[in-house]
């Protein structure tokens, strides 16, 4: 039996939770119980000699966090976290860096940029760069195949992280993460089945 449910995460990413069924003899019975990803927030930000430092607070789950550095060419340019920055000529993307953050970790990170000569403001936008799921094995111990896909999109530019094969003991849980950045308006699905 297959079942679908929708989950809204803190970043407004909607995803499906398929549950694998149709078991064979002595196979794992895998269930996706929870979708997980970091939830980074910018606490403070400063700039000195083209180096922008930001204190980032990660909430919820451990994983990779990417921060993107932007330079504003006009004071009235909107916040780049609320729009697609490439759609606004007054916002210039410079560089991005990625770090691993543990759950509830808070620390300062820096990005050295190359601002345009006419910049008036700057911004650093953190976002989750790891998405995954907690998989429960209600059956026999064994390997499971875990995939992250985009079932409602045919956009070939979306990152395809591939599949992972993991051993999961009977009556145990395992969290599997994929290093991928997903836009907040993209539906994604993580499935698990015996390998």
């Amino acid at each position: 039996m297959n079942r679908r449910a929708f989950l809204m995460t803190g970043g407004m990413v909607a995803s499906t939770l398929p549950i694998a069924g149709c078991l064979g003899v002595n196979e794992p019975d895998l269930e996706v119980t929870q979708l997980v990803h970091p939830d980074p927030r910018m606490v403070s930000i400063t700039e000195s000699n083209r180096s922008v430092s930001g204190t980032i607070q990660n909430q919820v789950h451990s994983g990779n966090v990417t921060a993107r550095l932007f330079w504003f060419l006009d004071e009235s340019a909107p916040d780049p976290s609320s729009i697609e920055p490439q759609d606004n000529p007054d916002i210039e993307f410079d560089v991005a860096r990625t770090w691993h953050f543990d759950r509830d970790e808070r620390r300062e990170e820096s990005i050295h940029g190359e601002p345009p000569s006419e910049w008036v403001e700057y911004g650093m936008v953190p976002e989750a760069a790891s998405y995954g799921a907690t998989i429960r094995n209600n059956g026999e111990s064994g390997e499971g195949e875990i995939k992250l896909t985009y079932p409602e999109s045919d956009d070939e530019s979306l990152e395809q992280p591939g599949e992972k094969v993991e051993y999961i003991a009977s009556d145990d849980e395992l969290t599997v993460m994929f290093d991928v950045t997903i836009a907040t308006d993209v539906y994604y699905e993580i499935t698990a089945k015996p390998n």
Side-chain angles (χ1 to χ4, degrees), residues 20-30 137-141 193-195:
C22 305
L23 293 179
V25 178
N26 297 324
E27 284 189 337
D29 176 9
L30 304 178
N137 182 5
N138 300 309
E140 299 295 322
S141 298
K193 66 179 184 180
N195 187 28

Side-chain angles (χ1 to χ4, degrees), residues 41-44 54-59 101-109:
R41 305 283 188 225
M42 188 63 68
V43 177
S44 64
T55 299
I56 300 170
Q57 169 76 50
N58 179 38
Q59 305 174 85
F101 274 74
D102 290 329
R103 179 184 183 132
D104 296 324
E105 183 177 2
R106 176 178 176 153
R107 71 172 188 259
E108 183 178 284
E109 292 290 354

Side-chain angles (χ1 to χ4, degrees), residues 3-7 15-19 32-35 189-190:
R3 183 173 62 161
R4 280 183 132 189
F6 288 91
L7 172 73
S15 307
T16 59
L17 292 175
I19 309 300
V32 177
T33 60
Q34 181 183 25
L35 295 178
E189 178 176 88
I190 294 179

Side-chain angles (χ1 to χ4, degrees), residues 74-126:
D74 186 314
E75 291 178 1
S76 63
D79 178 352
S81 65
S82 64
I83 63 161
E84 289 299 324
Q86 65 270 18
D87 296 338
N88 192 305
D90 293 326
I91 302 175
E92 186 172 307
F93 169 73
D94 190 349
V95 68
R97 288 198 53 210
T98 301
W99 310 274
H100 181 85
F101 274 74
D102 290 329
R103 179 184 183 132
D104 296 324
E105 183 177 2
R106 176 178 176 153
R107 71 172 188 259
E108 183 178 284
E109 292 290 354
S110 297
I111 300 177
H112 186 76
E114 295 294 334
S117 59
E118 64 276 18
W119 73 277
V120 293
E121 292 186 48
Y122 58 93
M124 185 188 289
V125 179

Side-chain angles (χ1 to χ4, degrees), residues 126-140:
E127 60 188 344
S130 293
Y131 286 79
T134 300
I135 315 294
R136 173 147 187 86
N137 182 5
N138 300 309
E140 299 295 322

